[in-house]
């Protein structure tokens, strides 16, 4: 079974890293992950899209994802953008970084909505509004595809020292503090 | 493999351990330097300025060109501080 | 590709990182490169390995690609193992030196991260840079995924520096689709790579430029001399085909991964129809083939791994007797209707035992070769096999091109 | 014999410590400045130098023909666009492999100043340890005497011919030596063939200084064929170029610019230009422009040498 995930965010939020860490964590469980960014001239603040494929079999596809079954939105301001829901498969899931946690997002194909105040947690733990590692932890919980341990291990490939410790706390808190609504 | 007719190596390598190519540049000359042994003070300026380095020291303490290769440019005659070298038309030497 | 069980050697890295790590494992003496999107990460990684002392090489931070190739060519002729990387306009800017490197038979290994080239500035994927330089006299290899990038770079050193070959090798992989793709790559141990490459040390030494040895390189080939060198060059290229197959076999014995040498055949044996492709598109094609096979469609894939020399003997062997063959090109052969690989394969049509050929052009300038597109290609190839009328050339993602053609 | 020793052998001969590695008969034009320079370099620097050359007048001699060669040096014949990068590749590999070497890049002004300047400049920036010698004959001679960046104002070439509208090159020449000295390399110098002892000393200094990095020699080497000069005048042309300050002799050692030959009372540039036909058409007004050019460069160099006397180049970061 393959999950196809599309990540939406802004430059500077670590969108591409989010997808990489998840691919890394999947590989640690003996599963397979592949991720890549959508291409463009990236700059801080510009919308950024990344793709992730996670599967128990080797991932062969090398194309962008047009029909995701999971959406991850790191940038709350994009939550109402039609581009976010473009091609979402029935029974889809959405994880959103949103401190308001209103749970008022709806789409005909959306069956599960997960919310986490990733910016808030990141500010508390690392002092910067970079939500990516919180989102990674929340993703593991929401999707049910991963435990938190491989995620924490994977973080060591991207951070070291105090930053690693702080980001591990971020991921752990994301895992624990995410709230989900079945629609 | 085909015979190595032109090259000893797989790529474009020349090998100077074999033999040096040589052109008989002496044939180019229309005038030849003639050294006046009496005037030569053995300073060596003709030798150092000769582009082909053909002015050789001889046993009788003057410089003489190797006519097999001297192209007859006339630098030696021009640069000799004693005017000991004159450029003489090759026609003079045809016997 | 047979994938070994998960082990601690698997890291999730980008294609660019795979190339850089492979270069590090090959222990080059000299690396010279200049950044260009989408290759930049390769030399950033190498610079970082160099800075941390993990990579004991001379790293030349040149002022342009032309100098990168000139520097590694010279270092190679002096006897060194070298590496460089470029893409697109960078490859074009070093093109005179690319030609000189091949002519001098310098066993340079480089990666070229495929990106569009001609005329229009496009920071996007496409194999046009490869096609624009295909007749440089280099061996061209093409990777499908991050693991294959790693493995091909390692195999390239064995091929380039082999005493019987002595030719530069360029490993191509799709920019963006592979350069920035993060996936699990098994990173071999240094000792294993050393063992794999150690065969080269037991071979006779190639001619090297050294002080006082009275040997010079770059001589004028005059009279028949030039012809002799050119003939040696094409003969070595021809030899490289079997050599590459053998190296791939040996690689399989040591690393437990095998790709099939010049071509990788995917479910071709019983196939009526075959797609011919190269690079990252092959992964997507395979996934569609898996789905189609479940529906009973007898379709296979021939993946071109070695593009120069052109593996026509292997292609004829793999494709002979099939009903229809769809050739997918991610580049153009200007002046021809069909794509470059299609036009080249077309030259061997009479040897294919009646197989019909059709050309698909797709994936130009980051246009995605989607599963939908692949399904369309398979359908059209099936139609051709069934004797239906199918246009010779189809621009899959640009229907207007096909319509214009039809109207004429 | 005793009576003959009226003079003393010129000291230049003392510098020629090695055999001439070149074949006696090579196809340079009579009076060629390049040939004199090319034979001189290995006799001073040694026969184990590796020389790299590009397509130019020097190429037919530097490069072999099939497996045969015109000289016994190791050489690398390569492209005009990448000569300094080639030398870079060589010295870096030799460094890695621990092989002692003296790599001499030997190129004309076309390669050095024009088409190959990018990689020359890059090699200087990286302070690569080799010697780059530019023999400047002020044009592309091997392709049939075309204009180059160092062709002086007014000179006729086949791409700046004398016509009814345009009369020779209407652009000023570039000063390659000064450009290179601004790269903070260990050694830069100009030299010419009339002052061979000066040239020999500079070659030896370069050989020593290359242990610390990039060395550049700009050597003025007339082309009698291309300039319309009497082959016998090759050395005289060099001499007049120095005496008129048309081509001043200086060096920059560790950044300190110093004249190696001071011209107290420079002659007018016409005493140089009259030796060749390429300036034949020039009016007094044209000559004045060339004279102004020469004076500007002399003035600039004078200023630099005063300034730089106070400056010491920092020790290279690579040391």
């Amino acid at each position: 079974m393959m999950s196809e995930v599309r990540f939406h965010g802004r430059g500077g939020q670590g969108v591409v890293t989010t997808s990489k860490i998840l691919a890394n964590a999947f590989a640690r469980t003996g599963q397979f992950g592949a991720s890549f960014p959508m291409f463009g001239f990236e700059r801080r603040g510009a919308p950024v899209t990344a793709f992730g494929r996670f599967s128990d079999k080797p991932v062969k596809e090398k194309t962008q994802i047009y029909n995701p079954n999971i959406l991850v939105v790191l940038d709350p301001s994009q939550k109402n953008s039609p581009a976010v829901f473009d091609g979402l498969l029935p029974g889809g899931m959405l994880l959103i970084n949103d401190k308001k946690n209103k749970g008022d997002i709806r789409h005909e194909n959306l069956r599960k909505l997960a919310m986490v105040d990733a910016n808030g947690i990141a500010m508390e733990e690392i002092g910067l509004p970079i939500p990516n590692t919180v989102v990674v932890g929340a993703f593991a919980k929401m999707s049910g595809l991963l435990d938190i341990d491989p995620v924490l291990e994977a973080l060591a490939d991207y951070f070291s020292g105090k930053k690693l410790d702080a980001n591990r706390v971020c991921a752990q808190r994301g895992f624990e503090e995410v709230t989900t609504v079945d629609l | 493999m085909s015979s190595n007719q032109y090259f000893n190596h797989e790529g474009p390598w020349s090998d100077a351990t074999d033999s040096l190519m040589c052109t008989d540049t002496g044939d180019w000359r229309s005038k030849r330097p003639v050294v006046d042994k009496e005037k030569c003070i053995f300073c060596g300026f003709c030798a150092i300025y000769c582009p082909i380095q053909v002015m050789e020291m001889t046993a009788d303490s003057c410089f003489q060109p190797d006519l097999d290769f001297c192209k007859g440019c006339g630098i030696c005659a021009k640069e000799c501080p004693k005017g000991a070298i004159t450029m003489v038309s090759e026609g003079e030497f045809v016997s | 590709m047979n994938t070994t069980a998960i082990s601690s050697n698997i890291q999730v890295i980008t294609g660019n990182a795979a190339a850089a790590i492979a270069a590090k494992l090959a222990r080059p003496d000299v690396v010279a490169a200049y950044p260009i999107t989408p290759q930049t990460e390769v030399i950033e990684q190498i610079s970082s390995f160099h800075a941390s002392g993990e990579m004991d090489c001379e790293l030349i931070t040149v002022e342009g690609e032309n100098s990168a190739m000139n520097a590694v060519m010279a270092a190679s002729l002096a006897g060194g193992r070298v590496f460089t990387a470029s893409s697109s306009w960078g490859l074009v800017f070093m093109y005179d030196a690319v030609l000189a490197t091949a002519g001098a038979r310098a066993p340079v290994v480089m990666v070229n991260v495929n990106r569009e080239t001609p005329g229009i500035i496009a920071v996007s994927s496409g194999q046009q840079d490869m096609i624009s330089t295909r007749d440089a006299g280099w061996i061209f290899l093409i990777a499908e995924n991050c693991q294959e990038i790693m493995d091909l770079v390692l195999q390239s050193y064995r091929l380039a520096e082999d005493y019987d070959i002595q030719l530069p090798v360029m490993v191509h992989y799709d920019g963006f689709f592979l350069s920035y793709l993060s996936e699990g790559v098994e990173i071999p141990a240094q000792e294993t790579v050393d063992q794999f490459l150690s065969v080269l040390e037991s071979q006779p030494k190639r001619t090297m430029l050294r002080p006082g040895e009275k040997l010079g390189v770059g001589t004028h080939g005059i009279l028949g001399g030039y012809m002799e060198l050119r003939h040696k060059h094409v003969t070595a290229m021809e030899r490289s085909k079997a050599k590459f197959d053998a190296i791939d076999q040996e690689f399989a014995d040591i690393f437990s991964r095998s790709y099939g040498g010049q071509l990788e055949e995917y479910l071709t044996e019983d196939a009526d129809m075959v797609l011919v492709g190269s690079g990252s598109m092959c992964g997507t094609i395979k996934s569609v083939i898996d789905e189609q096979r479940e529906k009973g469609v007898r379709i296979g894939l021939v993946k071109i791994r070695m593009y120069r020399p052109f593996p026509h003997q292997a292609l004829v062997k793999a494709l002979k007797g099939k009903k229809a063959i769809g050739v997918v090109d991610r580049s153009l052969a200007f002046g021809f209707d069909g794509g470059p690989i299609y036009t080249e394969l077309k030259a061997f049509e009479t040897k294919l035992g009646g197989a019909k050929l059709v050309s698909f052009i797709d994936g130009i300038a980051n246009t995605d070769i989607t599963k939908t597109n692949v399904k369309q290609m398979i359908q059209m190839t099936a139609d051709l096999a069934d004797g239906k009328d199918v246009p010779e050339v189809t621009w899959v993602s640009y229907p207007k091109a096909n319509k214009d053609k039809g109207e004429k | 014999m005793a009576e003959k020793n009226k003079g003393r052998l010129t000291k230049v001969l003392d510098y020629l410590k090695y055999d001439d590695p070149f074949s006696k008969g090579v196809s340079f034009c009579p009076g060629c400045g390049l040939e004199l320079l090319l034979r001189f370099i290995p006799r001073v620097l040694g026969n184990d130098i590796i020389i790299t050359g590009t397509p130019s007048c020097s190429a037919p001699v530097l490069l072999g023909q099939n497996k045969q060669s015109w000289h016994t040096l190791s050489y690398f014949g390569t492209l005009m666009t990448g000569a300094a990068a080639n030398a870079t590749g060589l010295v870096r590999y030799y460094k890695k492999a621990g092989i002692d070497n003296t790599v001499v890049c030997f190129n004309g002004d076309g390669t050095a100043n024009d088409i190959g300047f990018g990689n020359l400049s890059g090699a200087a920036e990286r302070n690569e340890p080799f010697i780059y010698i530019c023999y400047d004959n002020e044009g592309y001679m091997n392709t049939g005497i075309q204009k180059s960046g160092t062709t002086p104002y007014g000179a006729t070439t086949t791409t700046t011919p004398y016509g009814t509208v345009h009369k020779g090159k209407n652009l000023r020449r570039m000063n390659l030596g000064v450009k290179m000295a601004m790269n903070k390399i260990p050694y830069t110098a100009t030299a010419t063939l009339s002052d061979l002892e000066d040239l020999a000393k500079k070659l030896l200094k370069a050989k020593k200084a290359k242990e610390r990095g990039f060395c550049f020699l700009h050597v003025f080497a007339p082309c009698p064929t291309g300039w319309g000069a009497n082959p016998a005048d090759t050395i005289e042309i060099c001499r007049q170029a120095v005496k008129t300050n048309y081509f001043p002799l200086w060096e920059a050692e560790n950044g300190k610019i110093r004249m190696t030959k001071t011209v107290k009372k420079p002659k007018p540039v016409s005493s140089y230009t009259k030796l060749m036909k390429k300036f034949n058409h020039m009016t007094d007004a044209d000559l004045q422009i060339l004279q102004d050019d020469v004076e500007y460069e002399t003035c600039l160099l004078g200023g630099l040498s005063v300034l730089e006397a106070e400056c010491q180049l920092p020790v290279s970061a690579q040391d």
Side-chain angles (χ1 to χ4, degrees), chain A residues 20 23-24 27-37 39 41 58-66 157-158, chain C residues 3 6 12 14 123 144-145 176-178 180-184 266 280 283-284 286-287 290 366 368-371:
Chain A
K20 281 187 186 183
N24 192 319
R28 284 166 193 276
T29 65
Q31 302 181 73
F32 299 87
S35 82
F36 66 100
F39 324 121
F41 294 101
V59 177
K60 292 174 185 166
E61 288 86 343
K62 299 287 181 281
T63 74
Q64 300 184 15
I65 291 169
Y66 301 92
D157 282 355
Y158 305 88
Chain C
T3 307
I6 188 92
V12 175
T14 61
V123 188
E144 175 196 323
N145 52 44
F176 307 91
F177 290 97
L178 290 185
Y180 300 154
L181 174 77
S182 293
E183 61 179 355
Y266 190 74
S280 66
T284 309
K286 284 175 188 171
S287 71
D290 291 346
N366 267 358
D368 209 353
I369 300 183
T370 62
K371 290 171 89 165

Side-chain angles (χ1 to χ4, degrees), chain A residues 23-81:
Chain A
N24 192 319
F26 270 92
R28 284 166 193 276
T29 65
Q31 302 181 73
F32 299 87
S35 82
F36 66 100
M38 189 141 117
F39 324 121
F41 294 101
E42 281 125 33
R43 59 180 198 283
R44 198 161 272 266
V48 174
T49 307
F51 309 101
R53 285 192 174 88
F54 310 115
S55 175
D56 50 357
K57 295 199 189 74
V59 177
K60 292 174 185 166
E61 288 86 343
K62 299 287 181 281
T63 74
Q64 300 184 15
I65 291 169
Y66 301 92
N67 297 109
N69 51 6
I70 304 178
L71 297 168
V72 176
V73 180
L74 283 84
D75 174 16
S77 71
Q78 291 181 41
K79 69 179 177 189
N80 293 319
S81 160

Side-chain angles (χ1 to χ4, degrees), chain D residues 36 175 198 209 257 272 298 308-309:
Chain D
L36 175 53
N175 191 323
D198 178 70
I257 295 187
Y272 162 76
T298 314
E308 302 280 337

Side-chain angles (χ1 to χ4, degrees), chain B residues 4-9 12-25 28 36-45 47-57 59-63 66 69 71-79 87, chain D residues 1 3-13 16 20-33 35-37 39-40 43 60 63-73 75 193-196 230-236 239 275:
Chain B
N4 283 332
Q5 198 181 342
Y6 295 98
F7 284 95
N8 294 332
H9 303 265
W13 291 84
S14 64
D15 192 342
T17 54
D18 214 323
S19 67
L20 287 187
M21 283 179 288
C22 201
T23 303
D24 293 330
T25 49
W28 298 6
D36 183 337
K37 290 180 198 172
E38 297 308 313
K39 286 187 185 170
C40 175
I41 57 164
F42 207 61
C43 63
F45 280 111
I48 62 161
Y49 285 131
C50 172
I52 24 183
Q53 304 278 297
V54 289
M55 297 303 285
E56 289 164 358
M57 287 191 212
D60 52 351
S61 295
C62 81
F63 281 87
D66 179 345
F69 299 106
K71 296 171 188 170
C73 68
I75 288 178
C76 53
K78 177 98 183 175
E79 296 301 323
M87 298 303 290
Chain D
M1 180 82 187
E3 200 240 341
K4 293 285 295 185
N5 287 335
K6 287 174 281 188
R8 270 180 53 213
L9 272 174
T10 167
K11 276 199 272 177
V12 178
L13 288 166
L16 302 178
D20 185 354
F22 286 88
S23 165
K24 275 291 173 216
V26 297
S27 303
F28 290 124
C29 302
C32 177
E35 178 167 4
L36 175 53
L37 177 61
R39 289 182 188 275
F40 193 77
R43 294 194 68 188
L63 280 51
Q65 290 184 359
N66 293 345
K67 68 183 172 190
Q68 287 206 298
S69 176
W70 294 102
H71 58 82
T72 55
L73 300 172
Y75 74 87
L193 304 171
S194 55
D195 296 69
L196 288 175
N230 179 352
D233 281 343
T234 296
I235 305 300
E236 184 59 18
R239 198 171 282 127
L275 291 169

